[in-house]
Amino acid sequence: MLKDPAAKYAPFPPVGLADRRWPDRTIVSPPVWMSTDLRDGNQALFEPMSGERKMRMFRTLCQVGFKEIEIAFPSASQTDYDFVRLLIEGGHVPADVTVEVLTQAREHLIRRTMESLRGARRAIVHVYNATSQPFRDIVFGMSKAEVVDMAVSAVTLIKQLAAEKGNDVSVVVLEKGSEPGAHILSGAVMDPKAITELIPNWKELGAPLNQAVTGDDLLMLSETGATRTPSWLMPRNFHNDGCYVVSLSNVVKWMAAHAESLGVEIFPGFTAAEVLYNDDANALGGKPSVKGIATGNLGIGKDGEPTENFQLGMELHAKYTLFAEGARGHLGKQLLAQYNLTKDKDPQSFAIGIKELWEIDPAKAQPGLVVHTSGWPMQDDTFGGGFLYHLEDNKVTLGFVLGLDYKNPWISPFEEMQRWKTHPSIRAHLEGGKRIGYGARAINNGTLQALPKTVFPGGALIGCDAGYLNAARIKGSHAAIKTGMLAADAAFDAVTAGRAHDELTSYPKAFEASWLYKELHQSRNFKLWFKKGMLIGTLMTGIEQWLLPKLGISSPPWTLRGSKPDHVNLQPASQFAEIHYPKPDGKLTFDRLSSVFISNTNHEENQPAHLTLKDASVPVSTNLAQYAGPESRYCPAGVYEFVKNDDNSDRLQINAQNCVHCKTCDIKDPTQNIVWVTPEGGGGPNYAGM
């Protein structure tokens, strides 16, 4: 070896490429290592091996931890071909390992290579083609363009053969945020049950579930005092043993990186703006199957005309499309109507969750402490409660959840959250600290009774797009992961069986047989009891979640039913006294605009407003006249503002730039006149660490 390599070999200067991870981006997770040790031919690291020696080497590579292994050059020798067949037919390839094979860009060699992969669960084909001029001239007798065409034809043939054999199962994820996790907002106390099923070694892989829950407090607040529920009297839905206090945006970011390492293609900054349908309505009895989605156009000006930055949206076609947009999904809402998925189901009910992230005095840090509150500042006829969770690194995440079925139009969920922080039991955690993050999101108050049919020709609803959140436990991430797994299994089985665009009937069947169904069945009445008042809700939660389990009854023998969507509950403003909230002090309590600022919310200014009105006259003629303009209060971002015209008449001003994509307006508008549509991809909040 050279004693001083630097003297002979000068380093290449780094080149900044925006679409590459190196050298401009930091490696934040372990790379996926690929081995070529088993490759046959001149580039193999070892002399040619027998099948037995190859098997020993393969097993060693798996034990070392390689997740991508180039196992053979199957068209180069019968030994290599037979070895590929042995691995696949013998079931020797671990579920988390991707096998790879090598082939030249020759049709007969490609066909032989693809035949060797028959039955492989996941495989990558490396195709090569010599391009140097001597090779082109002497060996191929081809021009440069002809060699390029040969390479393109080779790749096309590989894709075609993979599709024919049902092995070309590609997964594409669209993320409307600037990056995975940017639009993710949750408490969050995470139950690791589902992620453990999905990724059993998540701890070893460095998943950001770092802070285990160390204690649970359940407080009933009066205006100045608090009553702590004794541990022995704590309902089971508030027990968080074995759970973790996490930043869910960080967890999602980590999971996205893990998915990409397994071959999933993720496209951040692209909105799924439109559902595409096949032309098969007659064959299916009236309703067409889902063909895929179209992304939104970029570079459309406020006037609706293309600007100099215009980019046409893309159509993405799939055998099956899974919709995972969160509560009140834009496309999910359309699919519910298109396929009448809510027939014979209760109306879905929602709440708004308003959250802050604080860095607190280290002396007050209690990592792993979970605090939930009920009572003040809510009145008896309004469903609401607070949460405060201690993370690691002197961080506290806290927030307030308020049911969107409230009656009083003078209520401002944002102001109620600020008022809640002034309670001595909450103030004590925060004084001396600094607020570093803010966000808001509508959530399902999910009940099994309101769960729609989740499958339709060509697709399925998963997570909160369907309404799987367990409101009693204040948890939805484990349900989202589990339903994603169940739908993915159903889709994979269908694709590998040669099916496409039909109903994934095995998905709801698998859900009904799962632990998640049992969990949601146990808590199916939680929110519906609270619709009858705080006292009844508290009493019946105690009976269903504490007393009955003590008696050996895991699930209540009765089922309540809901009858009205949230927006119809709002009553005229004249029936209530106006609420005058205290002014923010800028230390513990804040205004909306400063809050939106630290949510890192931004939209391309010159684009059509994504908050649309069916009838522009309704906000003034109905909402302002009857309900005192509730949109100016229920929006947690100051998007809606009633202003005076020059003639002293009123008009609704929509500040779409402020929107944090919470969907509250789409849910709570008493006239259902507001329709939330997707803005340009990459816009909205950026919830770093939330």
Side-chain angles (χ1 to χ4, degrees):
M1 291 183 63
L2 294 174
K3 293 183 179 179
D4 186 13
K8 183 175 178 65
Y9 300 108
F12 287 102
V15 179
L17 299 174
D19 61 340
R20 301 291 188 268
R21 291 186 177 276
W22 184 91
D24 295 334
R25 296 184 65 180
T26 303
I27 297 175
V28 294
S29 60
V32 177
W33 295 101
M34 190 266 282
S35 166
T36 60
D37 298 292
L38 288 168
R39 179 193 291 179
D40 202 354
N42 294 333
Q43 294 175 314
L45 297 181
F46 299 95
E47 64 182 29
M49 295 182 285
S50 65
E52 181 184 358
R53 293 181 65 189
K54 281 178 173 288
M55 180 62 76
R56 289 205 306 269
M57 174 62 81
F58 178 78
R59 287 171 174 165
T60 299
L61 292 169
C62 291
Q63 291 173 353
V64 170
F66 285 96
K67 301 302 180 185
E68 294 184 0
I69 303 174
E70 192 172 71
I71 55 175
F73 194 165
S75 63
S77 72
Q78 189 64 42
T79 300
D80 266 26
Y81 181 93
D82 292 342
F83 178 62
V84 177
R85 297 308 309 151
L86 175 65
L87 288 180
I88 296 171
E89 293 175 356
H92 299 293
V93 183
D96 60 344
V97 170
T98 300
V99 295
E100 302 172 348
V101 294
L102 180 71
T103 181
Q104 289 182 318
R106 299 285 197 281
E107 182 178 351
H108 68 288
L109 300 179
I110 289 172
R111 292 187 179 277
R112 175 111 172 128
T113 300
M114 297 302 293
E115 177 61 26
S116 74
L117 291 173
R118 185 178 68 256
R121 183 177 179 89
R122 189 168 55 241
I124 296 173
V125 178
H126 293 152
V127 58
Y128 75 92
N129 194 24
T131 58
S132 68
Q133 185 172 353
F135 224 96
R136 297 199 311 266
D137 294 343
I138 300 170
V139 180
F140 292 162
M142 293 180 175
S143 67
K144 185 177 181 179
E146 288 174 323
V147 172
V148 172
D149 287 341
M150 182 170 66
V152 173
S153 299
V155 174
T156 303
L157 177 62
I158 291 171
K159 296 289 288 184
Q160 289 173 345
L161 293 174
E164 289 173 6
K165 296 180 181 297
N167 293 329
D168 189 23
V169 183
S170 62
V171 180
V172 174
V173 177
L174 293 186
E175 165 59 61
K176 70 179 173 73
S178 58
E179 64 176 348
H183 288 180
I184 297 297
L185 188 74
S186 178
V189 174
M190 185 175 182
D191 186 336
K193 188 172 187 177
I195 195 173
T196 300
E197 289 183 351
L198 180 65
I199 311 172
N201 59 336
W202 57 264
K203 286 187 179 180
E204 293 80 0
L205 294 175
L209 282 73
N210 304 317
Q211 182 56 64
V213 173
T214 57
D216 286 297
D217 276 352
L218 179 59
L219 306 178
M220 175 64 75
L221 304 184
S222 64
E223 188 167 355
T224 57
T227 302
R228 183 181 183 274
T229 303
S231 298
W232 65 269
L233 201 56
M234 188 87 72
R236 66 182 169 186
N237 56 301
F238 288 107
H239 282 278
N240 290 293
D241 298 336
C243 296
Y244 293 82
V245 184
V246 303
S247 159
L248 196 58
S249 65
N250 287 345
V251 173
V252 168
K253 189 174 182 178
W254 178 87
M255 291 185 70
H258 182 73
E260 286 184 305
S261 74
L262 298 175
V264 175
E265 297 178 83
I266 300 178
F267 297 103
F270 287 89
T271 59
E274 179 186 357
V275 182
L276 303 176
Y277 298 97
N278 289 303
D279 188 19
D280 56 3
N282 291 333
L284 296 178
K287 295 290 185 182
S289 61
V290 171
K291 185 179 186 178
I293 61 92
T295 66
N297 295 332
L298 300 176
I300 300 293
K302 283 185 176 292
D303 58 1
E305 296 297 322
T307 69
E308 67 275 9
N309 300 318
F310 176 75
Q311 295 182 42
L312 188 66
M314 302 178 295
E315 290 193 0
L316 280 79
H317 300 172
K319 294 178 179 178
Y320 299 97
T321 305
L322 306 184
F323 295 83
E325 307 166 286
R328 195 69 163 200
H330 169 59
L331 299 184
K333 180 181 172 183
Q334 297 175 30
L335 292 163
L336 294 176
Q338 167 77 351
Y339 297 106
N340 197 20
L341 301 177
T342 59
K343 182 182 179 182
D344 301 324
K345 304 290 185 178
D346 288 1
Q348 183 59 265
S349 186
F350 299 88
I352 179 175
I354 298 173
K355 176 184 173 181
E356 294 179 353
L357 180 66
W358 282 65
E359 187 171 11
I360 64 168
D361 182 348
K364 297 183 176 182
Q366 303 176 68
L369 176 64
V370 170
V371 180
H372 290 111
T373 76
S374 62
W376 189 88
M378 291 294 91
Q379 302 298 314
D380 184 62
D381 62 347
T382 305
F383 175 75
F387 63 87
L388 187 148
Y389 308 148
H390 282 256
L391 293 148
E392 69 268 31
D393 300 326
N394 307 319
K395 300 286 196 314
V396 164
T397 179
L398 70 155
F400 198 81
V401 177
L402 193 150
L404 289 178
D405 56 352
Y406 64 82
K407 301 176 181 178
N408 186 348
W410 296 108
I411 285 177
S412 166
F414 175 87
E415 301 290 355
E416 294 292 348
M417 191 271 183
Q418 299 302 312
R419 189 160 63 149
W420 168 78
K421 286 189 295 178
T422 66
H423 192 279
S425 297
I426 307 303
R427 179 193 292 268
H429 294 267
L430 305 176
E431 284 184 324
K434 178 183 179 182
R435 189 178 70 151
I436 57 176
Y438 169 83
R441 187 66 171 89
I443 60 176
N444 305 101
N445 278 325
T447 66
L448 277 180
Q449 303 90 300
L451 189 70
K453 182 182 179 182
T454 55
V455 293
F456 41 86
L461 301 172
I462 61 177
C464 286
D465 217 351
Y468 282 107
L469 180 138
N470 187 337
R473 297 187 68 199
I474 324 175
K475 291 177 177 61
S477 57
H478 69 304
I481 294 171
K482 182 63 175 178
T483 55
M485 293 169 62
L486 297 174
D489 283 340
F492 180 83
D493 291 343
V495 170
T496 54
R499 292 162 46 202
H501 303 128
D502 58 355
E503 284 194 10
L504 297 170
T505 54
S506 61
Y507 164 40
K509 290 179 180 178
F511 163 66
E512 291 173 3
S514 71
W515 53 260
L516 180 60
Y517 178 89
K518 181 181 179 182
E519 178 184 313
L520 295 179
H521 191 261
Q522 291 174 344
S523 60
R524 66 190 183 278
N525 297 325
F526 174 77
K527 176 59 193 304
L528 296 170
W529 282 122
F530 280 95
K531 287 181 178 289
K532 302 179 184 295
M534 182 66 70
L535 178 61
I536 292 177
T538 303
L539 175 64
M540 294 309 299
T541 296
I543 291 173
E544 292 190 351
Q545 301 293 327
W546 183 85
L547 179 60
L548 293 183
K550 297 285 187 186
L551 300 175
I553 303 171
S554 63
S555 186
W558 49 75
T559 298
L560 303 185
R561 302 302 300 259
S563 59
K564 297 189 294 184
D566 291 336
H567 71 274
V568 304
N569 288 285
L570 204 67
Q571 302 297 308
S574 58
Q575 298 184 15
F576 303 87
E578 184 175 355
I579 302 174
H580 298 281
Y581 292 102
K583 292 183 177 179
D585 60 17
K587 297 179 180 179
L588 181 65
T589 59
F590 304 89
D591 62 20
R592 275 182 270 199
L593 292 184
S594 65
S595 300
V596 172
F597 178 79
I598 61 171
S599 72
N600 303 305
T601 295
N602 187 56
H603 297 86
E604 169 59 45
E605 190 170 357
N606 186 29
Q607 65 172 297
H610 63 280
L611 302 154
T612 65
L613 304 174
K614 296 176 184 177
D615 185 338
S617 68
V618 166
V620 172
S621 65
T622 302
N623 288 7
L624 184 61
Q626 295 186 28
Y627 304 101
E631 51 267 69
S632 65
R633 289 179 292 278
Y634 60 57
C635 174
V639 169
Y640 301 98
E641 184 180 6
F642 286 94
V643 298
K644 293 291 185 180
N645 294 312
D646 292 339
D647 62 358
N648 206 39
S649 61
D650 295 290
R651 64 181 175 88
L652 179 66
Q653 179 173 292
I654 300 178
N655 306 307
Q657 186 81 353
N658 292 359
C659 179
V660 295
H661 300 197
C662 74
K663 305 294 184 68
T664 301
C665 57
D666 196 275
I667 299 166
K668 188 59 177 174
D669 180 20
T671 53
Q672 292 295 279
N673 188 53
I674 298 173
V675 180
W676 196 100
V677 300
T678 51
E680 283 192 4
N686 194 330
Y687 292 135
M690 292 287 279

